[in-house]
Amino acid sequence: MSNVPLLSVESLNVEFSTSDGVVHAVNDVSFSVHSGKTLGIVGESGSGKSVTASSILKLNTGITASTCGSILFNGKNILGVDDKSIRAIRGSEIAMIFQDPLSALNPYYTIGNQIIEAYKVHHKKVKRTEARKIALEMLHRVGIPNPEARIDEYPHQFSGGMRQRIVIATALINSPKLLIADEPTTALDVTVQAQILDLMKDIQRENGMAIILITHDLGVVAETCDDVAVMYGGRIVEKASVQELFNTPTHPYSFGLLGAVRSLDNSARGELQTIAGSPPSLLNLPSGCSFLPRCNYADAMRQQCSSSVPALQNVLPTSSSSACHLRTESLNVLKIKEPS
């Protein structure tokens, strides 16, 4: 594997102007993904996960949106390319699976027409009959039964799990180098969820595709991801390998998320924990650490936590990075104990 990441996001900031004020949706976010690897992005609703993902495809541009920073894909800054160039990248080199498969599909067109269109827009010289054969192969690949008959059916004729498979087929038909999966298993039963995740991993192994997986499910992260970025209040508060995140979390919010997950070995974590309070409003972020009002560990450093935003820094001896004032130069790993 090359040491140069396929995707490198540096100091990404996204703001939206609304009638109520400026929404600071993404604040100084940086991460990278290598070919053949999977990065999980986790956090509560409103933490900036989906806005970060859509920025990679330059979907946030508009009158009310302001985006700055750097998004390097294969050495090219996505934010600096023109509309024609980004349209050539969308769906071809970078593809995205959106949260709701029903709203992602047009109800007025058959699924075959929609998959064929996704292919032909990037292969204009290919005849429609050939594109249909490729679409059939992809429907078979994603597990749609009897694709020869079902290719001419409409989205409402499929179950939620089958619609998600169709959306995946549309995203993968051009063999993208990067797949962004925004909660691809939401509202699916666990059997279908496992099948879809296995399908994504199989295709990744075949073509070395990089994946960014956005999810609330830490079980999915543990099963599918190599690295994790934990987001809170529009910022990344921890970056770590999956093993390090689950074994030695270095941010109080990460610890809270893990404490809220039921384990087969209940003796390891004790009773399920909750994170009191609510996420901060992105219209009015606090001056210091956004997690301070919900943090059980900040009493000794409350003045510093309330006055300055902690920087994301490496926590030795792990390779994790954490944005927390509780870490000091003499404290190698944040020692988090269960709140009393």
Side-chain angles (χ1 to χ4, degrees):
M1 182 183 68
S2 171
N3 290 327
V4 179
L6 176 69
L7 176 76
S8 180
V9 176
E10 296 290 340
S11 303
L12 178 66
N13 292 270
V14 183
E15 297 179 345
F16 296 94
S17 297
T18 71
S19 57
D20 294 323
V22 177
V23 177
H24 305 278
V26 176
N27 301 283
D28 197 26
V29 164
S30 300
F31 61 87
S32 61
V33 190
H34 287 80
S35 296
K37 297 295 184 180
T38 300
L39 171 70
I41 301 180
V42 301
E44 293 169 279
S45 295
S47 61
K49 305 184 303 296
S50 294
V51 175
T52 299
S54 57
S55 297
I56 297 171
L57 282 170
K58 208 174 179 180
L59 295 175
N60 295 325
T61 56
I63 297 175
T64 63
S66 172
T67 303
C68 64
S70 172
I71 301 176
L72 293 179
F73 176 74
N74 258 355
K76 180 186 295 183
N77 189 356
I78 294 291
L79 297 181
V81 302
D82 57 24
D83 290 343
K84 182 179 179 180
S85 298
I86 194 62
R87 283 196 298 268
I89 294 173
R90 290 178 188 149
S92 176
E93 297 185 68
I94 306 175
M96 187 167 183
I97 302 172
F98 294 93
Q99 289 187 30
D100 183 2
L102 183 58
S103 62
L105 295 168
N106 192 320
Y108 292 99
Y109 295 94
T110 65
I111 63 157
N113 279 333
Q114 296 182 62
I115 298 174
I116 290 169
E117 180 185 13
Y119 184 78
K120 280 188 61 62
V121 73
H122 297 289
H123 302 82
K124 300 184 185 301
K125 295 182 179 180
V126 174
K127 294 182 179 180
R128 188 172 180 83
T129 53
E130 180 63 24
R132 182 181 174 90
K133 291 180 182 178
I134 295 171
L136 281 168
E137 292 173 1
M138 183 55 69
L139 286 173
H140 183 271
R141 183 72 181 82
V142 299
I144 299 295
N146 193 15
E148 291 79 9
R150 306 214 70 182
I151 192 173
D152 295 315
E153 294 182 354
Y154 292 84
H156 73 272
Q157 295 175 277
F158 294 84
S159 67
M162 289 295 108
R163 285 195 293 262
Q164 190 65 286
R165 293 173 188 265
I166 293 163
V167 170
I168 292 174
T170 305
L172 297 178
I173 196 168
N174 291 301
S175 300
K177 296 176 181 177
L178 172 65
L179 176 67
I180 303 171
D182 191 354
E183 299 188 37
T185 58
T186 298
L188 300 180
D189 63 64
V190 291
T191 302
V192 176
Q193 172 180 284
Q195 292 171 348
I196 288 175
L197 293 174
D198 286 342
L199 169 65
M200 291 169 56
K201 288 190 292 185
D202 287 344
I203 294 175
Q204 182 182 48
R205 282 192 291 265
E206 290 174 6
N207 62 13
M209 175 178 66
I211 297 176
I212 295 176
L213 178 64
I214 299 170
T215 180
H216 293 277
D217 193 332
L218 289 175
V220 170
V221 169
E223 181 181 352
T224 61
C225 296
D226 299 293
D227 300 291
V228 190
V230 181
M231 292 194 70
Y232 186 83
R235 298 180 181 274
I236 292 179
V237 295
E238 181 169 355
K239 288 194 291 188
S241 68
V242 166
Q243 184 176 5
E244 288 174 335
L245 180 76
F246 280 81
N247 291 338
T248 54
T250 58
H251 193 280
Y253 179 59
S254 302
F255 187 80
L257 291 178
L258 291 168
V261 176
R262 182 174 297 278
S263 171
L264 293 177
D265 181 11
N266 287 329
S267 63
R269 294 188 186 277
E271 296 183 0
L272 291 179
Q273 302 293 321
T274 61
I275 303 176
S278 301
S281 169
L282 297 179
L283 280 165
N284 187 25
L285 289 170
S287 57
C289 176
S290 297
F291 189 62
L292 176 60
R294 309 173 73 185
C295 184
N296 292 304
Y297 314 98
D299 288 342
M301 304 183 68
R302 187 163 294 274
Q303 182 174 355
Q304 183 179 2
C305 293
S306 62
S307 61
S308 64
V309 177
L312 191 66
Q313 297 180 0
N314 182 243
V315 183
L316 297 175
T318 72
S319 61
S320 302
S321 298
S322 178
C324 182
H325 288 307
L326 296 179
R327 185 195 65 255
T328 66
E329 292 299 325
S330 60
L331 185 61
N332 289 331
V333 178
L334 179 64
K335 304 296 184 182
I336 305 178
K337 60 183 179 179
E338 303 230 0
S340 56

